[in-house]
Amino acid sequence: MMDDYTFPSWIYLGVLAVFVGGAMKRLLASHLGPAPPLVAWLGATVLAERLWSFCLPAALLLALLGLACCLYSAARTGLARPGAALPARGKAVLVTGRRRPRPLCLGCDSGFGTATAKHLDNLGFEVFATVLDLSGEGARELERSCSPRLTLLQVDITQQQQVHQALLDTKAKVGLKGLWGLVNNAGVCVNFGDIELSLMSNFRGCMEVNFFGTLSITKSFLPLLRQAKGRIITISSPAGDQPFPCLAAYGASKAALNLLVNTLRHELEPWGVKVCTILPSSFKTGQSSNHAYWEQQHKQLLRTLPPALLEEYGEDYLTETKELFHLYASQANTDLSPVTDTIARALLAPRPRARYFAGPGVGLMYFIHSYCPLSLSSRFLQKLFLKKRLAPRALRDPPGFDPDLGLGLNNNNNNNNK
């Protein structure tokens, strides 16, 4: 009779693979010591094997596993309940931003900087907000909508002298208490398109702001952060972990930033400084819906491309990419609260997570990226971001094809010879 309840071997191996894979994934991703997650997951694996040895019915075993997952989820929710949050009063936070006309940044735009500064000010933080122009509309908007606790700093994070001056101004105000939080929000995405069609200056531009600029201001403010045993919150992007089509320059800079942040997390742990990464979904911020800007970028690309390369890809191929980008930007979320709320949660949680997903669909995206075959995850990204229908012109038309005549040049020569 017991044989009636025995699981097929492939189900047994599948569940064990989930347990062991989950253990390894959590161990590698955890910023805690290796012992707690390893012991917990090995214990769960042994428990699953023991239950199997008693030949429990499949329904009962699945119910036990489901109950364990529910208890684990409830425990995590209890740790993050609002009553457990740290007080915001008396804590100083610096929020970086870059108020220069620029394109969609998939989670790193001036819109986040403004919304974050306002939200943190409303919570009671002492906010230091960086702007490029103290007399600009963005700075005046913050002054009108925030409390007198807000301090505006004129900073371009790519200019070390301005970063140093901001450090001196902040240090003079915070004194011995130090800086509780640094929110690395500033970033740019200077173009979109295939790697072969992108200028080297586009890659350098993204790296200069997204990586070197963030590194510069983080290194400069680390003494104040160590003094307060504070937090570093960095707004990154899923494009830094996954190969989004036509976003190689932006994604490469975010990939470098992600590795930098992960390394900082381990190095600053002995100092008591917590380091978190926030990965937002698509939000409508800044210049993301500025069609005039992207039309200008598109025309400039057509002018600068070598004629032979433009012929091989085709102008219609480039135009389709631009239009798909417009469509994607127009459908982005206009409510920035998922990101600002997550930033506040990371700043005030007694035990902040190493990574936060902000916005719908990011968790599913990472699940598919982590656990599904590469071919499936790549196809998912292509369908999610830019649903290209046109292939490059050289792949559509045979060599020597003349679109005006509809005949290959070789055929024309043969006809002429006849």
Side-chain angles (χ1 to χ4, degrees):
M1 292 296 294
M2 299 297 292
D3 293 340
D4 295 339
Y5 298 114
T6 303
F7 278 5
S9 60
W10 64 271
I11 298 182
Y12 174 80
L13 293 176
V15 174
L16 279 185
V18 170
F19 273 102
V20 176
M24 294 303 299
K25 184 177 179 63
R26 285 184 174 274
L27 178 61
L28 294 175
S30 176
H31 64 284
L32 302 173
L38 183 60
V39 171
W41 280 99
L42 287 180
T45 304
V46 172
L47 176 60
E49 287 193 285
R50 293 300 91 197
L51 291 174
W52 231 296
S53 67
F54 288 111
C55 301
L56 292 179
L60 178 58
L61 182 56
L62 291 177
L64 290 174
L65 292 176
L67 178 61
C69 292
C70 291
L71 292 175
Y72 175 75
S73 177
R76 289 185 64 90
T77 304
L79 290 175
R81 65 186 186 275
L86 301 174
R89 291 286 175 183
K91 290 182 170 61
V93 177
L94 175 71
V95 181
T96 67
R98 187 174 173 84
R99 296 185 174 281
R100 181 171 296 167
R102 56 190 171 83
L104 174 70
C105 294
L106 290 182
C108 198
D109 200 275
S110 59
F112 283 154
T114 301
T116 300
K118 292 179 180 179
H119 183 56
L120 297 183
D121 178 77
N122 290 334
L123 292 176
F125 284 99
E126 181 183 357
V127 178
F128 294 84
T130 71
V131 295
L132 280 183
D133 185 5
L134 289 174
S135 60
E137 176 57 33
R140 292 197 297 268
E141 177 189 350
L142 284 175
E143 288 180 329
R144 288 192 302 265
S145 58
C146 294
S147 72
R149 293 189 305 272
L150 176 77
T151 300
L152 294 178
L153 302 172
Q154 183 167 328
V155 181
D156 182 336
I157 64 172
T158 64
Q159 303 299 318
Q160 184 58 40
Q161 185 176 359
Q162 295 185 25
V163 172
H164 181 68
Q165 185 59 50
L167 173 63
L168 296 178
D169 295 341
T170 305
K171 189 175 182 179
K173 284 205 168 189
V174 300
L176 295 178
K177 70 179 181 181
L179 185 68
W180 174 255
L182 169 63
V183 180
N184 286 318
N185 163 74
V188 295
C189 175
V190 297
N191 83 309
F192 63 92
D194 297 51
I195 295 176
E196 190 176 11
L197 303 177
S198 302
L199 301 175
M200 288 300 297
S201 59
N202 294 330
F203 288 87
R204 294 190 179 97
C206 284
M207 287 296 296
E208 185 64 28
V209 177
N210 300 343
F211 179 76
F212 289 110
T214 302
L215 173 61
S216 172
I217 201 162
T218 302
K219 281 174 60 68
S220 298
F221 280 83
L222 266 180
L224 291 181
L225 290 161
R226 289 190 287 105
Q227 186 177 342
K229 297 185 184 298
R231 311 279 171 89
I232 299 175
I233 313 298
T234 300
I235 314 298
S236 186
S237 169
D241 294 319
Q242 304 178 41
F244 276 76
C246 300
L247 280 179
Y250 177 74
S253 66
K254 288 298 185 179
L257 179 62
N258 289 346
L259 181 59
L260 174 71
V261 170
N262 289 335
T263 305
L264 270 176
R265 181 181 304 113
H266 295 291
E267 293 179 351
L268 296 178
E269 186 177 356
W271 294 92
V273 177
K274 307 297 184 183
V275 181
C276 308
T277 303
I278 295 179
L279 300 161
S281 59
S282 175
F283 289 89
K284 188 177 295 185
T285 57
Q287 297 292 321
S288 60
S289 299
N290 189 340
H291 286 202
Y293 177 89
W294 290 110
E295 287 292 343
Q296 179 184 1
Q297 293 293 102
H298 179 67
K299 292 178 181 178
Q300 182 180 359
L301 176 63
L302 294 177
R303 289 195 304 267
T304 55
L305 277 181
L309 190 59
L310 179 59
E311 177 67 22
E312 288 186 324
Y313 275 88
E315 185 174 339
D316 56 349
Y317 178 85
L318 278 68
T319 301
E320 184 196 39
T321 303
K322 176 201 65 175
E323 292 174 349
L324 289 173
F325 189 85
H326 283 169
L327 178 62
Y328 183 82
S330 66
Q331 297 173 346
N333 193 356
T334 57
D335 179 17
L336 306 184
S337 62
V339 178
T340 57
D341 290 343
T342 303
I343 293 173
R345 189 160 59 250
L347 286 170
L348 296 176
R351 296 174 59 188
R353 302 178 189 176
R355 278 191 162 194
Y356 290 88
F357 296 151
V362 185
L364 175 62
M365 186 190 310
Y366 271 87
F367 177 84
I368 293 176
H369 174 71
S370 302
Y371 294 105
C372 294
L374 180 60
S375 58
L376 180 60
S377 61
S378 297
R379 184 177 296 274
F380 175 77
L381 279 183
Q382 292 171 353
K383 296 296 184 182
L384 175 70
F385 186 47
L386 296 182
K387 303 175 184 178
K388 296 286 293 181
R389 297 184 181 276
L390 287 177
R393 183 176 179 180
L395 300 179
R396 287 176 278 154
D397 302 334
F401 183 83
D402 187 335
D404 295 327
L405 299 178
L407 298 171
L409 297 182
N410 293 336
N411 291 338
N412 292 342
N413 292 337
N414 291 336
N415 292 335
N416 291 337
N417 290 337
K418 289 182 180 179

